Amino acid sequence: MLRIAVQAKGRLFEETMALFEESDIKLSSHKRSLLVQSTNFPVEVLYLRDDDIPQAVATGVADLGIVGENEYVEKNEDAEIVKRLGFSKCRLSLAIPKDIEYPGLSWFNGKKIATSYPVILEKFMKANGVETEIHVINGSVEVAPGIGLADAIFDIVSSGSTLVSNRLKEVEVIMKSEALLIGYKKMSSENKEILEELLFRMDAVKTAEDKKYVLMNAPKDKLKEIIEVLPGMKSPTVMPLAQEDWCSVHTVLDEKSFWEIIGKLKSLGAEGILVLPIEKMIL
């Protein structure tokens, strides 16, 4: 049985649960339980605070953990990165009151900075030769300058709306963060086998993201030009139609370039274009 530590609530929890669901790992909906076992896969989920997950994995309390890179770096526990998951992206940034002119990092010399990430902040400031006073806050860091507790903050930024609402502006991005799958370094061989199957499922889900399955009818005399337009995974599938001069073309398109390619296909005579979502893709 593979034990995975995950955040008990918040955006990372929701996106982790969505990944499990898409990977066909069924879990009980009883969120109040500390430990929940899957009904169809040899996995159990341990719900923890996000800042407790790195230690739980490093000490073997859990075999795996899904945690923000910011917490993984801050805690500096002896757990290894198994996979970058690509969701819950954010950044750790320095922010100051919006009315203050910012000349550069030297502004922070002698200033008091409120943060929940003192290790990352201290390492950055030392590397840049800046002397600051770090005030550790667990909670609403962004209010600290407004109530006179600090001159600036160092905190997670996603959209930046929280900074704006507290009359702050982002001036330095120190690191970028995303969800990580981290692992216990002394995991048993049996659990490593389960991990391989879990990664196979996750890869199939992540590969399918932002991909569309496209079917179209194409005139045979334009088939070569149409195929040249398609950046499919490999060669597109081409099948004959009852109408002699036409064929059916099937391929996979990346959503980022979808509309541009569809426009080119239409100009080359493609008709009856059907677009379908892809749940999983195994390469």
Side-chain angles (χ1 to χ4, degrees), residues 11 68-71 86-93 117 155-159 170 173 175-179:
R11 184 166 69 104
E69 188 172 0
N70 52 304
E71 289 293 347
F87 57 79
S88 288
K89 291 186 177 182
C90 61
R91 55 196 183 273
L92 280 175
S93 297
Y117 302 95
D155 202 16
I156 290 175
V157 178
S158 295
S159 65
E170 185 178 12
V173 177
M175 71 168 284
K176 293 184 179 180
S177 175
E178 64 180 285

Side-chain angles (χ1 to χ4, degrees), residues 148-254:
L149 194 59
D151 301 298
I153 69 166
F154 176 60
D155 202 16
I156 290 175
V157 178
S158 295
S159 65
S161 59
T162 303
L163 294 181
V164 172
S165 63
N166 285 276
R167 299 180 59 80
L168 298 172
K169 62 181 178 182
E170 185 178 12
V171 293
E172 298 282 349
V173 177
I174 307 308
M175 71 168 284
K176 293 184 179 180
S177 175
E178 64 180 285
L180 302 177
L181 180 66
I182 60 174
Y184 178 48
K185 289 186 175 180
K186 298 179 182 178
M187 191 184 305
S188 69
S189 56
E190 293 86 352
N191 280 349
K192 283 182 179 178
E193 290 181 12
I194 301 171
L195 172 58
E196 287 302 313
E197 175 61 26
L198 177 64
L199 289 174
F200 174 76
R201 294 190 181 196
M202 287 183 172
D203 286 342
V205 171
K206 301 303 288 183
T207 302
E209 285 184 354
D210 302 323
K211 299 288 193 304
K212 299 293 183 184
Y213 189 72
V214 180
L215 305 83
M216 72 199 80
N217 295 332
K220 284 186 177 179
D221 61 348
K222 294 289 185 179
L223 185 58
K224 183 179 178 181
E225 294 168 77
I226 286 174
I227 290 175
E228 288 176 353
V229 168
L230 298 173
M233 304 302 294
K234 288 186 179 178
S235 176
T237 300
V238 179
M239 295 183 290
L241 293 177
Q243 190 172 342
E244 187 175 341
D245 295 330
W246 286 76
C247 57
S248 178
V249 179
H250 299 209
T251 192
V252 174
L253 295 181
D254 194 308

